[in-house]
């Protein structure tokens, strides 16, 4: 038993490390404190707004969503990864023991975090002398969250069982992402279908004109969601036991049933991971992403430097996944946003589709979504062990920098163009939208010209896991401070022109001229200083 715990501790300690950078440690502490402060305020609002049943349901829902999101991330980066294979496979350990430790370590953090955020909830219940509800919160919530995590892991483990059949890590990751998105969409659509009243009607009735109106509207919304959840048999079965103010025989039956189902799912997950662990581990570590990299040396220097950027991206599957996400997220956001507008989900008083304004909302939403990514702010950190080549080989710093800008801009502009094509398919295309497309593309380039500056001077290259070059890299946050202010300023100027009733096409052309001028100034300044 002690050896099993040590193996689980090994996975936990190797993956959940405290960031080394002091700045990132400070940001993490501030983020955790802010999260707890927010949760306390929201919990207090919900507690005094509705009754105890709605309050408990709200906490169960929030914790389940948190666990689902964390398991989605951990499943691809840890549980179904084979980074530990070369270290553990030669040791006298069975594949089931290794798989068991991986799964337990992947469940440990989501469930612990889901319980930590219940501290404010527990405090409100104890102060109000609702001890039965407090006991249920402590005992019942972890197993429900555990069941949520195990259900998702079981589905993904069935795919991981055949990991060796995939030609590349990227293909496997994209299939996993597709499965997760499918589960999410089906869940939302099924829940919405059970609603007795259209969601759009409920949202449209939200009153923002007064605090009292907002309070009543939110109370009505939460009550509606709670009643809709009770229309789903399985959820009603669980909620009846969880939100009641007494511990009944039904509670124990449900508790034991969830434990048994969870144990069966856990056993099947271990079997799915361990059955082909050796084959998957070997293939997972031998699937080098460099084998298909070809270099065509030409007289055109830009071609050579851009090939080097592609070579770096191909060096790690995680980098390719980030590129894929950068390409997919803006179009997906555009599609979802336009579908919601088409189905009149947004309240009328928001007036999003107003003529002369809607294309601005859409364009700048796509712009900020394209810019706030992990691609443009960490181009030098991604080089990792290859960064020394920039110092030892006679590379031209200007070509290196601008090739990184061009590569990031191409990815973002492709996403922008696809988003605008979706916009056109929904029938919103006018001449002014072509100018907005050019403005968005120019501002993307402007953002990408600025964001690599800090990473160029302070790259984080000492990493073993490629996610550390991005996920745990404070340069991602700092790069936003370099690029976002200028975008916000231009956006504010454009909406100011709309506010002063400047003709839409003329206003758009003015902003386009400003965007082109900014790009020209930045390029010339960078050429002089690099």
């Amino acid at each position: 038993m002690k050896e099993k715990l040590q193996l689980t501790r090994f996975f936990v300690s190797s993956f959940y490390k405290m960031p080394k950078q002091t700045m990132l440690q400070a940001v993490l502490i501030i983020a955790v404190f802010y999260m707890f402060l927010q949760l306390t305020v929201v919990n207090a609002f919900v507690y005094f707004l509705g009754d105890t049943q709605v309050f408990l349901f709200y906490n169960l829902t929030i914790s389940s969503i948190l666990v689902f999101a964390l398991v989605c991330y951990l499943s691809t980066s840890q549980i179904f990864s084979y980074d530990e294979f070369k270290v553990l496979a030669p040791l006298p350990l069975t594949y089931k023991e290794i798989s068991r430790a991986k799964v337990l370590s992947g469940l440990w953090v989501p469930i612990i975090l889901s319980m930590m955020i219940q501290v404010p909830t527990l405090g409100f219940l104890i102060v109000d002398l609702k001890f039965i509800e407090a006991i249920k919160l402590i005992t019942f919530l972890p197993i429900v969250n555990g069941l949520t995590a195990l259900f998702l892991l079981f589905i993904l483990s069935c795919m991981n069982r055949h990991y060796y059949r995939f030609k590349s890590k990227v293909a496997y990751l994209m299939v996993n992402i597709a499965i997760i998105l499918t589960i999410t969409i089906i869940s939302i659509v099924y829940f919405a279908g059970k609603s007795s009243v259209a969601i759009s009607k409920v949202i449209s009735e939200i009153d923002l004109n007064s605090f009292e109106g907002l309070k009543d509207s939110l109370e009505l919304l939460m009550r509606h969601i709670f009643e809709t959840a009770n229309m789903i048999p399985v959820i009603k079965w669980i909620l009846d036991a969880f939100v009641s103010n007494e511990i009944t025989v039904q509670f124990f039956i449900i508790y034991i049933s969830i434990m048994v189902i969870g144990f069966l799912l856990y056993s099947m997950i271990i079997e799915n991971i361990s059955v082909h662990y050796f084959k998957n581990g070997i293939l997972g570590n031998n699937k080098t992403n460099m084998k298909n990299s070809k270099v065509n040396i030409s007289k055109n220097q830009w071609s050579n430097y851009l090939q080097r950027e592609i070579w770096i991206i191909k060096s790690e599957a995680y980098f390719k996944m980030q590129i894929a996400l950068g390409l997919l997220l803006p179009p997906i956001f555009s599609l979802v946003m336009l579908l919601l507008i088409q189905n009149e989900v947004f309240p009328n008083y928001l007036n999003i589709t107003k003529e002369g304004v809607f294309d601005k909302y859409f364009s700048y939403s796509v712009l900020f979504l394209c810019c706030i990514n992990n691609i443009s702010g960490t181009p030098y950190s991604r080089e990792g062990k290859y960064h020394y080549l920039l110092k030892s080989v006679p590379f031209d710093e200007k070509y290196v920098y601008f090739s990184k800008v061009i590569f990031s801009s191409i990815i973002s502009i492709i996403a922008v163009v696809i988003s605008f094509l979706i916009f056109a398919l929904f029938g919103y295309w006018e001449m002014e939208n072509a100018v907005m497309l050019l403005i968005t593309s120019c501002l993307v380039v402007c953002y990408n010209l600025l964001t690599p500056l800090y990473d160029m001077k302070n790259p984080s290259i000492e990493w073993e896991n490629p996610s550390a070059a991005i996920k745990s890299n404070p340069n991602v946050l700092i790069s936003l401070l370099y690029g976002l202010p200028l975008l916000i300023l231009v956006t504010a100027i454009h909406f100011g022109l709309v506010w002063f009733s400047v003709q839409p096409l003329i206003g758009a052309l003015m902003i386009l001229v400003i965007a082109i001028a900014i790009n020209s100034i930045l390029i010339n300044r960078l050429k002089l200083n690099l």
Side-chain angles (χ1 to χ4, degrees), residues 32-317:
V32 170
F33 174 77
Y34 181 69
M35 181 189 71
F36 273 99
L37 183 62
Q38 268 193 327
L39 284 170
T40 303
V41 173
V42 173
N43 270 325
F45 187 74
V46 174
Y47 186 73
F48 293 110
L49 190 64
D51 55 28
T52 306
Q53 289 186 339
V54 174
F55 180 60
L56 290 173
F57 169 73
Y58 157 79
N59 281 278
L60 178 64
T61 304
I62 294 297
S63 62
S64 296
I65 292 172
L66 174 64
V67 167
F68 184 86
L70 287 172
V71 172
C72 286
Y73 172 71
L74 295 174
S75 62
T76 56
S77 59
Q78 180 185 5
I79 300 172
F80 300 130
S81 173
Y82 293 94
D83 295 332
E84 82 292 340
F85 178 78
K86 291 181 179 180
V87 177
L88 298 182
L91 300 178
L93 296 168
T94 65
Y95 299 143
K96 282 193 174 182
E97 287 175 336
I98 297 173
S99 302
R100 193 176 294 115
K102 290 176 70 175
V103 173
L104 288 175
S105 65
L107 292 173
W108 182 82
V109 167
I111 293 176
I112 291 295
L113 278 178
S114 70
M115 292 309 298
M116 285 176 63
I117 65 173
Q118 299 304 320
V119 172
T121 306
L122 193 62
F124 285 118
L125 292 174
I126 292 173
V127 169
D128 207 17
L129 303 179
K130 295 183 178 179
F131 299 112
I132 299 295
E133 288 86 345
I135 292 170
K136 283 187 176 182
L137 187 74
I138 297 172
T139 57
F140 197 72
L141 201 64
I143 66 160
V144 174
N145 289 336
L147 184 65
T148 303
L150 289 167
F151 174 73
L152 176 61
L153 288 177
F154 169 70
I155 295 174
L156 296 177
S157 69
C158 293
M159 188 58 60
N160 182 257
R161 186 184 182 108
H162 303 286
Y163 175 81
Y164 63 90
R165 298 181 185 275
F166 290 87
K167 293 182 179 180
S168 68
K169 291 181 180 179
V170 174
Y172 172 72
L173 289 171
M174 294 310 295
V175 170
N176 271 7
I177 291 171
I179 291 172
I180 291 168
L181 287 174
T182 302
I183 293 171
T184 306
I185 292 169
I186 290 174
S187 301
I188 293 171
V189 171
Y190 180 75
F191 186 85
K194 286 290 182 179
S195 175
S196 58
V197 183
I199 298 295
S200 58
K201 183 178 179 182
V202 176
I203 296 175
S204 64
E205 291 178 354
I206 295 177
D207 181 13
L208 297 178
N209 295 324
S210 64
F211 179 78
E212 191 65 30
L214 177 62
K215 175 180 172 295
D216 294 339
S217 299
L218 291 177
E219 186 176 357
L220 179 65
L221 179 62
M222 287 191 295
R223 174 57 63 178
H224 174 74
I225 294 172
F226 178 68
E227 290 173 354
T228 303
N230 272 294
M231 296 177 70
I232 302 172
V234 176
I235 296 179
K236 176 177 172 52
W237 185 58
I238 294 172
L239 286 178
D240 286 344
F242 181 58
V243 302
S244 63
N245 58 357
E246 56 184 0
I247 298 176
T248 60
V249 174
Q250 182 189 0
F251 175 80
F252 286 107
I253 293 173
I254 293 174
Y255 194 92
I256 294 169
S257 300
I258 293 175
M259 293 284 285
V260 171
I261 295 170
F263 180 75
L264 291 173
L265 289 173
Y266 173 76
S267 301
M268 289 187 283
I269 292 167
I270 301 302
E271 178 64 25
N272 284 337
I273 297 175
S274 60
V275 66
H276 294 308
Y277 181 80
F278 184 76
K279 185 190 295 187
N280 290 341
I282 288 179
L283 291 174
N285 283 275
N286 289 340
K287 280 179 182 175
T288 172
N289 299 303
M290 306 299 290
K291 62 183 179 182
N292 295 325
S293 297
K294 295 179 181 179
V295 178
N296 299 311
I297 304 299
S298 67
K299 293 182 180 180
N300 188 321
Q301 290 297 312
W302 287 115
S303 173
N304 296 333
Y305 279 89
L306 286 171
Q307 285 183 80
R308 184 177 182 278
E309 287 305 306
I310 295 171
W311 174 74
I312 291 169
I313 294 297
K314 283 187 173 183
S315 67
E316 296 289 348

